[in-house]
Amino acid sequence: MSQHKFLISIVLSLGLFAPAFAAPSAAQVCQKMLADGRGNGLSQAACLCNYQKAEATLDDDIKTLLFDSWYNGTDNMAALEKLPKQGRVKRQMLLLQQKIQRGCPAF
């Protein structure tokens, strides 16, 4: 599966962090996502690269939804669609996709 399709599948499975818990680290997020079989062949190194690009690119609200979807696999696309300024959301996700394609290993 291409990184583009992988990113889209991640976006389609967005969820929210439970506020009482500390957010898991990048390594924990990637490890759990891959162990749960949701990485579509992505390596830990490629996942961490994607995580770092997202961390640097996305606003906090989008980032929280994305990282939680990676960790829990929750389908909550509706939450992403309810975020304010949908043009901002789409631009940031496109920019993230471009950064991942240019700077991260495919698998």
Side-chain angles (χ1 to χ4, degrees):
M1 179 175 274
S2 73
Q3 276 188 313
H4 176 69
K5 289 180 183 177
F6 173 70
L7 184 60
I8 290 171
S9 70
I10 290 170
V11 171
L12 294 175
S13 63
L14 295 174
L16 298 171
F17 280 136
F21 300 103
S25 69
Q28 290 170 320
V29 168
C30 287
Q31 184 177 20
K32 185 173 185 312
M33 181 178 70
L34 298 176
D36 289 350
R38 292 181 281 107
N40 297 317
L42 203 62
S43 69
Q44 179 78 5
C47 181
L48 288 172
C49 182
N50 292 354
Y51 189 104
Q52 291 167 348
K53 299 290 184 195
E55 179 77 23
T57 303
L58 303 176
D59 289 343
D60 288 342
D61 55 349
I62 303 168
K63 194 176 356 181
T64 298
L65 292 170
L66 180 63
F67 292 157
D68 181 63
S69 72
W70 288 5
Y71 190 74
N72 293 315
T74 307
D75 182 2
N76 197 357
M77 184 63 179
L80 183 66
E81 291 172 349
K82 289 180 183 177
L83 291 175
K85 300 179 183 174
Q86 281 295 297
R88 162 192 72 105
V89 174
K90 291 175 184 174
R91 277 190 305 277
Q92 287 185 26
M93 294 306 293
L94 180 60
L95 181 59
L96 174 59
Q97 176 188 349
Q98 292 168 347
K99 287 182 175 185
I100 288 171
Q101 288 175 339
R102 286 192 308 255
C104 292
F107 295 96

